[in-house]
Amino acid sequence: MNEFELIEKYFNWTGSNPDVIGVGDDCALITIDSNSQLATSVDTLIEGVHFPKNTSAADIAHKALAVNLSDLAAMGATPEYFTLALTLPEFDESWLKEFSNALKTLANQYNITLVGGDTTKGQLSISINVTGVVKKNKALLRSSAQVGDVIFVSNTIGDAALALWKIQQNIKPSEQLLSQFNRPDPQVQLGCALVGIANACIDISDGLEQDLTHILKRSNVGARINLSDIPLGIEMQTHIEKSQDWCLALAGGDDYELCFSVAPENLSKLKKIEEDLDIKLSAIGLITQDEGIERMGGFDKKCLSYQHF
Ligand code: ADP
Ligand code: MG
């Protein structure tokens, strides 16, 4: 049983409360009044699983909050509050100082307030629960992609996975790649700007194809993507030229970019967002009626994304 079947079988029992949209999207949505919904999500980082053992306290703190902010971004929600559950192997003052400073820096940048948490002793693990706000029924969902929508991704894909791959091969990644891996930029401004413009949205945490598939399954649609349109950094381009293997770009995780679908009539508005936010948005394909992802571009190998089980 994989991670997603496990969740579906044992934990998808939100029930029929009309004020709650539960398991299955980047955040749950809870209606708080006639105008607004809370968006909430929790993500855990475990040493040796989500970050290598020698990662600095500052990088761990940044990543722990950034990946959670990314889930708010995927819903188009504005960050408000977070709680922090910290499990530490030992009391290390300099580690804690560095961790807390980096956490505060990112929290201030996104105007999100730490309101509580829990502290325990054990293997290093960081869980953050974020809460944001979005206008009622305006959140970006995985389930609203429409046939004919254009599929976009922000910035470049696969850089973090390439950094990790290099570390595992004992090749030193460039500073630029390493920072994509350790210091992801959550696309909060983009997510908020896409409200009312994108039909469906997800953040790419587990690999472009696997995360796009979550949109496709929940929207009952398919996709055709063009490999030549996938935005790649220079180092990823070189890696693909050398290896003739696209899997790191298509299935590597930890990008924290947004993948979203936009109806053709909203494309001019999207262009304006791209200019206003000075961000690169690339059209990589189309939402279709057929099931699954059809890849155009002559690379047919099945790429496996990370799953915990
Ligand atoms: P993301 O990658 O965006 O954090 P996940 O793939 O981790 O999302 O989770 C998929 C969905 O399953 C989310 O809606 C999440 O809230 C839900 N989920 C994951 N684990 C559990 C659990 N143990 N109990 C209830 N819901 C869960
Ligand atoms: Mg997500």
Side-chain angles (χ1 to χ4, degrees), residues 3-4 7 11 23-26 43 71 142 203 205-206:
E3 179 187 336
F4 304 109
I7 297 165
F11 300 111
V23 173
D25 219 308
D26 290 289
D43 261 325
D71 277 325
R142 295 177 179 180
D203 70 321
S205 53
D206 298 332

Side-chain angles (χ1 to χ4, degrees), residues 43-104:
D43 261 325
T44 298
L45 262 59
I46 295 175
E47 185 179 59
V49 178
H50 298 94
F51 55 88
K53 254 189 174 332
N54 55 359
T55 308
S56 75
D59 285 346
I60 296 170
H62 179 101
K63 194 162 184 174
L65 183 54
V67 304
N68 277 282
L69 286 167
S70 178
D71 277 325
L72 290 177
M75 306 297 289
T78 303
E80 295 278 346
Y81 310 106
F82 72 105
T83 56
L84 166 69
L86 197 53
T87 303
L88 300 168
E90 61 188 348
F91 175 77
D92 177 341
E93 190 133 29
S94 72
W95 191 96
L96 280 165
K97 192 171 167 195
E98 188 185 323
F99 182 91
S100 147
N101 282 340
L103 194 66
K104 215 184 291 172

